[in-house]
């Protein structure tokens, strides 16, 4: 015998020590009025997340310059490879003249500047958005648990 989910009736013995079962009505069921358990994120975890996020962004920041320099340096050998393939098909002189007229090395060097600016600016924006999301995470979790 244990606690039950039924209300007391007039047919029960008066010596029964159980009250009416109103306090057990919601036993085992979800109660909409009960406050939801809000997960708490310690401040040290948030600061650690921001530090790790910042270190990742700093690593990518340091890789932007070498990657763009590598891409700009590969333009000349890539065009030489293309001219070699064109010679294999018998179009070497025409393609070589076209490459010289297009000044591919100068064009790539000119294009690297804006790409560098966009890459670094985009990286800053992504870092800011990620940091703001990490800072707002506890607020988002609190609001989400209330829905």
């Amino acid at each position: 015998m244990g606690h039950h989910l039924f209300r007391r009736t007039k047919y029960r013995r008066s010596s029964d020590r159980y009250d009416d079962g109103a306090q057990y009505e919601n036993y085992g069921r979800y109660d909409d009025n009960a406050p939801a358990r809000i997960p708490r994120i310690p401040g040290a975890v948030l600061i650690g997340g921001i530090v790790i996020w910042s270190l990742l962004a700093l690593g990518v920041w340091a890789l932007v310059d070498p990657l763009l320099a590598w891409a700009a340096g590969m333009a000349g050998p890539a065009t030489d490879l293309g001219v070699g393939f064109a010679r294999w098909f018998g179009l070497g002189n025409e393609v070589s003249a076209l490459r010289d007229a297009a000044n591919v090395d100068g064009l790539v060097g000119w294009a690297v500047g804006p790409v560098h600016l966009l890459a670094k600016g985009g990286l800053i924006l992504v870092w800011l958005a990620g940091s703001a999301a990490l800072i707002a995470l506890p607020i988002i979790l609190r609001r989400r648990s209330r829905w």
Side-chain angles (χ1 to χ4, degrees), residues 6-142:
F6 303 109
R7 292 190 179 273
R8 186 176 199 167
T9 65
K10 65 179 182 175
Y11 300 108
R12 295 186 64 195
R13 290 180 287 164
S14 62
S15 65
D16 246 344
R17 58 188 163 125
Y18 300 115
D19 288 357
D20 91 65
Q23 61 183 343
Y24 301 110
E25 276 185 14
N26 289 331
Y27 183 74
R29 284 189 266 158
Y30 179 74
D31 186 11
D32 287 337
N33 295 330
R37 184 175 179 272
I38 300 171
R40 298 190 52 86
I41 300 173
V45 172
L46 289 176
I47 291 173
I50 291 173
V51 166
I52 290 171
W53 179 248
S54 298
L55 288 175
L56 286 172
L58 187 63
V60 173
W61 180 276
L63 286 177
V64 167
D65 291 330
L67 286 175
L68 287 176
W70 173 79
M74 286 301 294
T79 55
D80 289 341
L81 182 66
V83 169
F85 278 130
R87 282 196 182 124
W88 189 57
F89 286 109
L91 302 170
N93 293 335
E94 294 86 3
V95 173
S96 180
L98 184 63
R99 179 194 62 180
D100 293 339
N103 190 15
V104 174
D105 291 333
L107 184 65
V108 169
W110 172 82
V112 165
V115 170
H116 182 264
L117 178 73
L118 289 173
K120 294 257 179 154
L123 182 62
I124 290 172
L125 290 176
V126 168
W127 176 78
L128 282 173
S131 296
L134 282 172
I135 291 170
L137 188 63
I139 297 168
I140 293 169
L141 288 176
R142 263 189 240 127

